[in-house]
Amino acid sequence: MDLLDLHFRSEQGCDSSLIRLKRSKMAGDVLNFYRGSPQIFYAIWGSVKRRASPLGWLCGDAHWENVGSYKGKNHVAYFDFTDFDHGCLAPLDFDLGRAATCLYLIGMGELAGLFLSAYTKQTAAGKPYHIENEVAKGTVARLLTKVQTRSQRRFMRQRMDGHRLLIDDEETYALPPKEKREASAVFKKWAATTKDPSFFRLEDLCGSCTGLGILGHHRYLALVSGKKARHIIDMKEAVPSAAAPFSGVRQPSWANDAERIAEVQRMIQYVPIARLGWTKGRGRSFVLSEYQPAEDRVDSLALSKGEYRDFAKQWGQLLAWSHLRGAGWREAATTSELVTFASDFNAKKRRRLLARARAAAVRMRQLFEQFRLLAPQDKK
């Protein structure tokens, strides 16, 4: 299998200018390459004969750039996984491998064992918890405090130009008139089905080029009137799960990928992000939620040594709790089966998984070097 070609095929039908931006970002940094090519990782990870690993509902992209703080539908700030584009039913080691390989890839393999220990300890306990301000530590606690106390009006002023969304060319861009009309029609159709359509009265809409894995697909920010203050709704085109084809598992039936993503997020996120929903239009489906700015994520490459250890531990705990929350749902292993799996995850099994992650990181680095040579080409 040509792994780079597998990635390039995933770009078919995408916006060519955004794909050039995505390739440029991926070619500049190995972590960005890893984040932007989940199909490659899962082709590598899924090609190895797996030992017994129960099925569970996965985040599907459990690297450390996909954890962050957000406000739930109950208006409380939480720290949890925030991206479920590739969520699916698969062996639990898919999430563990994605996370551990990330650490080896960026030269922090010494934290992979700590991450895995935190995961197995919490899974073996059999009860999912969550991280909010009262129990958070270090940089996570600071993030949660910022999100919880942030003024919505001040936040919106920073992202608006008069009565419209701010266009800054780094995160947002103006849409062609036809695309803006079509996207607005899809949004309004969805808004009309909500419990409070007046909250979602559309005032403006622009393109968004945030996120790396989704870059190239349609993503919009919608400015809505809200109640006491305006809000921004993230409207993201749903993509097929990169993990599912390599899982060896028949997936449950969904209306479309947006329903899959939204339902997996509702199930395994402790409290779903505010305004979570999904819709479809013109052959595409979209996941909608309250806009989560990039600065609400941990700056994972600017932590102290102690903060890295705290972060790795909390990251492992979060993954354990998300797997436990999905236990028994739609063909997933039960809580008892997950507890048994984690309790039996001895030192030999741990070394085996970490060795696979190290090997996957080596292969990803090799492919990154090849990608850097191919990325400037206008490869279709």
Side-chain angles (χ1 to χ4, degrees):
M1 179 187 296
D2 187 328
L3 295 178
L4 288 180
D5 191 58
L6 178 67
H7 167 72
F8 288 130
R9 289 201 303 271
S10 74
E11 298 175 344
Q12 292 177 357
C14 293
D15 183 292
S16 59
S17 62
L18 293 178
I19 287 298
R20 285 192 292 272
L21 175 61
K22 178 178 180 177
R23 290 180 183 175
S24 175
K25 290 182 177 182
M26 289 175 62
D29 179 84
V30 69
L31 179 58
N32 281 347
F33 174 73
Y34 186 65
R35 291 170 56 203
S37 59
Q39 296 84 359
I40 292 179
F41 168 77
Y42 286 116
I44 294 170
W45 193 261
S47 67
V48 179
K49 184 177 180 181
R50 296 182 297 276
R51 303 301 190 271
S53 178
L55 297 181
W57 284 100
L58 310 188
C59 157
D61 200 12
H63 63 74
W64 71 0
E65 293 287 332
N66 276 345
V67 290
S69 50
Y70 68 95
K71 273 194 179 181
K73 64 179 183 179
N74 58 357
H75 308 296
V76 175
Y78 297 98
F79 189 75
D80 205 341
F81 285 96
T82 57
D83 192 309
F84 298 85
D85 290 347
H86 300 290
C88 66
L89 183 67
L92 297 181
D93 69 83
F94 272 48
D95 265 354
L96 295 174
R98 183 71 168 155
T101 301
C102 174
L103 286 167
Y104 284 111
L105 196 64
I106 58 176
M108 295 188 180
E110 72 276 6
L111 296 179
L114 176 64
F115 165 85
L116 199 54
S117 293
Y119 171 84
T120 53
K121 180 179 179 180
Q122 293 301 315
T123 305
K127 182 176 176 60
Y129 292 89
H130 62 278
I131 296 177
E132 56 182 90
N133 209 8
E134 288 77 5
V135 295
K137 298 179 180 179
T139 187
V140 174
R142 292 194 295 272
L143 266 181
L144 288 173
T145 298
K146 183 184 74 172
V147 173
Q148 186 65 55
T149 59
R150 180 166 57 204
S151 162
Q152 181 66 15
R153 293 184 188 278
R154 184 171 64 251
F155 172 72
M156 292 304 300
R157 283 198 300 269
Q158 295 170 348
R159 284 161 173 77
M160 292 182 64
D161 182 8
H163 297 287
R164 294 188 175 278
L165 290 166
L166 181 67
I167 302 299
D168 63 9
D169 294 328
E170 291 187 4
E171 294 187 357
T172 55
Y173 61 95
L175 293 169
K178 181 181 178 182
E179 184 178 357
K180 186 171 183 177
R181 287 195 301 271
E182 292 175 351
S184 296
V186 173
F187 182 86
K188 290 176 181 177
K189 184 178 179 180
W190 168 77
T193 67
T194 64
K195 293 181 179 180
D196 188 3
S198 63
F199 183 97
F200 298 101
R201 184 173 64 82
L202 185 63
E203 296 187 2
D204 192 23
L205 187 141
C206 70
S208 171
C209 48
T210 56
L212 189 59
I214 195 69
L215 194 56
H217 294 273
H218 295 79
R219 189 170 192 174
Y220 309 109
L221 297 182
L223 176 66
V224 299
S225 57
K227 290 186 177 179
K228 296 181 180 179
R230 293 181 174 92
H231 288 251
I232 300 175
I233 304 299
D234 187 0
M235 179 176 165
K236 181 168 62 170
E237 182 180 354
V239 298
S241 169
F246 303 99
S247 67
V249 178
R250 183 177 180 178
Q251 299 296 311
S253 177
W254 305 99
N256 49 52
D257 282 306
E259 183 192 31
R260 168 185 56 82
I261 294 167
E263 290 306 306
V264 171
Q265 184 164 359
R266 284 194 180 101
M267 175 55 64
I268 68 176
Q269 205 174 34
Y270 175 66
V271 173
I273 192 169
R275 326 294 174 192
L276 179 62
W278 65 271
T279 190
K280 60 180 180 178
R282 291 186 175 272
R284 297 184 176 90
S285 60
F286 294 87
V287 178
L288 302 100
S289 64
E290 189 88 11
Y291 170 62
Q292 177 197 321
E295 56 265 31
D296 288 351
R297 293 193 294 271
V298 171
D299 185 356
S300 54
L301 298 180
L303 304 181
S304 69
K305 185 175 181 179
E307 286 176 327
Y308 276 126
R309 291 185 62 83
D310 284 340
F311 180 69
K313 182 178 179 179
Q314 291 177 97
W315 179 20
Q317 292 172 334
L318 288 174
L319 190 59
W321 297 333
S322 72
H323 287 171
L324 286 167
R325 282 193 282 270
W329 180 56
R330 301 193 71 169
E331 303 178 49
T334 64
T335 299
S336 295
E337 290 172 317
L338 266 61
V339 169
T340 299
F341 164 69
S343 300
D344 293 343
F345 208 80
N346 56 31
K348 182 178 180 180
K349 292 178 180 178
R350 188 171 304 172
R351 288 195 299 270
R352 184 183 296 137
L353 187 141
L354 294 178
R356 285 180 63 192
R358 283 195 299 271
V362 170
R363 185 67 179 122
M364 291 297 301
R365 279 193 173 277
Q366 294 170 344
L367 291 164
F368 169 63
E369 295 301 329
Q370 295 176 31
F371 179 83
R372 293 174 70 181
L373 300 177
L374 293 173
Q377 302 175 18
D378 189 19
K379 186 176 179 66
K380 298 292 185 182

